[in-house]
Amino acid sequence: MQLLESQRGCYPIEIDRPTPRASVTDTLLIAGASQLLTLRGRGPRRGKFLEELDIVKDGALLIRRGLIVGVGTKKYVESLPGARTAKKLDLGGRVVLPGFVDSHTHLIHAASRAEEYELKIAGASYEEIARKGGGILNSVKKLRTATLQSLQTRALDALTQFASYGTTTIEAKSGYGLDLPSELRILVLHKLLAEQQRIEIASTFLGAHVVPAEYRKKARGAESYIKLLTDVVIPEVAEDELAEFCDVFCDRGAFTREQSQQILQAGREYGLTPRLHAEQLTRTGATQLAVKLGAASCDHLEQITNADMRALAKSNTVATLLPGCDFHLGLKKYAPARELIDAGAIVALATDYNPGTSPTVSMPMILSLACTQLRMTPAEAITAATINGAYALKREEKIGSLDVGKQADFAVFDVADYREIPYYFGMNTCSLTFKRGRVIHATE
């Protein structure tokens, strides 16, 4: 049993330690990649540079203690010091690319919302379901009564599935607790799950998901809840180092631009980098706020305007697009990826894994949707799901590309050409996933 100390006591959570398929060897030589997509280069990709994958044919990697020490052709890498005595793995002509960086997920939740799925099919809108007590508040009700063991088990199962599709790093948000004990429980679970290193987790505090039901019944309930967040919860989260980021759902039925700014500024004062759910259901000005606050990302963006896109293009705030959400909800309007790319914005892709609007852990499926619905090329989609996702999580110096000095995070696909990864939609062609040089997924 592990304990995390806080000002309000201890939070006991038992973490199952998975037995890895392979240990981290001192030196490992990976060879036989027909296409090795390195995405080498500094900084995020914008505009035409999203197409630059820096593909090495007959590629190889040399890995020592979980870090890449050599990358290039097989002939070159085999000539490097230590290559001759390294443990060798020949991939037999498979395609290798950086592990996917899924920069927007809601990892911890108690159950599906399959009952709402039928309502959506029958024509009920997202907002209609929410007004009847469904949606986010439905997940809140379920999580508050769930046991720690059940939440842990569900999250571990999801992490295993993430790895099976080639994902090596995720961002995980709270936001299904919406009271102090439940939000802290989610964030503590993020921290302890990250310690077992199956997949790297960047933790985000999303206490401002919606106003919880018990506050909606009070006069000035929203203001009271925001005060709880800014004066009590955010300081506690920061003191216990439970999150890196602070996020707000800025939209109709959630929080206004002014309220979002108040919460994000409070988070920033305590060292939490802003992020925003922006322009999903309505245009609120959240994108402009994200740019103003220097947010790491603003996500969704289906209702974004030309002015918003120009602002993003002049900033370092990442435009994270979530086509799985639009697909699952049966919406016809997707975020304008082509316009964002042409404007020069930093575009990333993520699953938005959550029980209500995007119940998928498959980044390859997100690539397929990006290609068919957002009109992105396969190369652009892969870049958006790797190095640009890493940039959205402030981790581009360590992950997102295959370069000397970076973590050996990569995925191996049983395809002849990288373009087949999104081409085979709904299929999983990932056969191996490595995190810091360790196998975290392998097909039987």
Side-chain angles (χ1 to χ4, degrees):
M1 185 74 73
Q2 296 189 12
L3 298 177
L4 187 87
E5 297 288 343
S6 85
Q7 293 177 344
R8 299 177 184 276
C10 297
Y11 309 105
I13 298 181
E14 187 172 354
I15 294 293
D16 297 328
R17 298 291 179 183
T19 301
R21 294 176 182 269
S23 62
V24 177
T25 61
D26 182 53
T27 308
L28 176 65
L29 174 64
I30 305 289
S34 60
Q35 295 176 329
L36 179 67
L37 283 58
T38 70
L39 285 94
R40 287 178 292 190
R42 297 187 62 83
R45 302 288 205 277
R46 301 176 188 258
K48 65 181 181 180
F49 295 107
L50 260 75
E51 291 273 5
E52 294 189 1
L53 300 177
D54 191 26
I55 301 174
V56 178
K57 295 182 179 180
D58 192 21
L61 295 169
L62 189 63
I63 300 162
R64 186 173 295 120
R65 298 186 183 91
L67 298 178
I68 298 171
V69 295
V71 56
T73 64
K74 178 182 178 182
K75 182 178 179 180
Y76 166 73
V77 172
E78 286 184 337
S79 71
L80 296 174
R84 181 172 296 182
T85 57
K87 181 178 180 180
K88 295 178 175 62
L89 175 62
D90 192 299
L91 299 179
R94 296 169 180 166
V95 171
V96 178
L97 63 152
F100 292 125
V101 181
D102 191 346
S103 58
H104 184 128
T105 84
H106 302 256
L107 175 66
I108 307 297
H109 53 268
S112 79
R113 300 211 302 260
E115 68 279 9
E116 295 178 9
Y117 187 53
E118 287 190 316
L119 295 176
K120 294 169 192 167
I121 293 169
S125 71
Y126 176 82
E127 292 170 293
E128 287 171 340
I129 292 170
R131 283 195 295 269
K132 294 178 181 178
I136 294 166
L137 292 180
N138 185 358
S139 288
V140 170
K141 185 187 304 182
K142 292 176 179 178
L143 185 135
R144 288 180 178 180
T145 59
T147 65
L148 285 174
Q149 184 63 47
S150 67
L151 293 175
Q152 172 194 322
T153 298
R154 188 176 184 87
L156 285 170
D157 288 346
L159 291 174
T160 299
Q161 289 299 313
F162 274 112
S164 75
Y165 285 99
T167 296
T168 52
T169 300
I170 68 167
E171 180 259 17
K173 303 179 190 294
S174 67
Y176 288 136
L178 304 189
D179 61 23
L180 179 62
S182 301
E183 286 293 301
L184 293 179
R185 183 166 60 152
I186 295 170
L187 295 172
V188 169
L189 190 50
H190 287 171
K191 188 168 187 173
L192 295 179
L193 287 169
E195 287 177 359
Q196 52 85 50
Q197 296 185 356
R198 181 174 298 183
I199 282 182
E200 190 170 343
I201 299 174
S203 186
T204 295
F205 172 61
L206 180 60
H209 207 174
V210 293
V211 176
E214 61 269 26
Y215 280 84
R216 296 184 179 208
K217 302 173 184 177
K218 301 177 181 178
R220 302 181 65 83
E223 290 82 353
S224 297
Y225 182 62
I226 291 169
K227 185 173 178 59
L228 172 72
L229 295 179
T230 58
D231 295 359
V232 179
V233 187
I234 287 175
E236 176 87 357
V237 169
E239 172 117 5
D240 292 340
E241 298 181 343
L242 296 178
E244 300 173 46
F245 304 98
C246 182
D247 198 348
V248 177
F249 185 15
C250 181
D251 215 320
R252 182 175 63 215
F255 294 89
T256 67
R257 174 173 171 164
E258 292 71 24
Q259 292 169 336
S260 299
Q261 180 169 345
Q262 181 182 351
I263 296 163
L264 293 174
Q265 285 181 331
R268 194 165 62 174
E269 288 173 6
Y270 283 92
L272 303 180
T273 301
R275 334 182 64 89
L276 268 164
H277 284 58
E279 330 296 6
Q280 181 187 6
L281 305 174
T282 56
R283 199 272 173 179
T284 62
T287 299
Q288 299 283 347
L289 176 61
V291 171
K292 175 183 175 182
L293 295 178
S297 73
C298 53
D299 305 11
H300 283 290
L301 307 181
E302 287 86 348
Q303 309 300 328
I304 198 170
T305 66
N306 289 333
D308 297 332
M309 288 188 272
R310 289 193 295 271
L312 280 172
K314 295 176 183 177
S315 78
N316 292 319
T317 296
V318 178
T320 302
L321 311 184
L322 310 169
C325 180
D326 302 311
F327 174 79
H328 186 72
L329 291 174
L331 303 178
K332 295 181 180 179
K333 185 173 183 178
Y334 286 73
R338 284 258 54 91
E339 291 89 338
L340 282 161
I341 293 169
D342 293 343
I346 306 167
V347 173
L349 290 167
T351 61
D352 191 17
Y353 171 62
N354 76 81
T357 61
S358 190
T360 183
V361 297
S362 172
M363 283 296 279
M365 184 63 189
I366 298 303
L367 298 189
S368 297
L369 292 173
C371 292
T372 60
Q373 304 304 312
L374 305 184
R375 315 311 295 176
M376 296 173 70
T377 68
E380 289 172 335
I382 287 172
T383 300
T386 53
I387 188 60
N388 280 7
Y391 189 81
L393 298 183
K394 306 295 185 182
R395 281 165 163 75
E396 71 278 6
E397 297 297 323
K398 296 181 179 180
I399 61 174
S401 63
L402 302 179
D403 208 348
V404 173
K406 287 196 169 186
Q407 292 176 189
D409 295 2
F410 59 95
V412 180
F413 287 83
D414 285 328
V415 293
D417 186 286
Y418 75 88
R419 291 169 292 191
E420 293 179 357
I421 297 171
Y423 170 81
Y424 290 114
F425 73 91
M427 296 174 60
N428 189 7
T429 56
C430 180
S431 58
L432 285 167
T433 306
F434 284 76
K435 180 67 183 178
R436 298 185 183 93
R438 185 192 299 271
V439 177
I440 61 171
H441 160 72
T443 54
E444 299 297 337

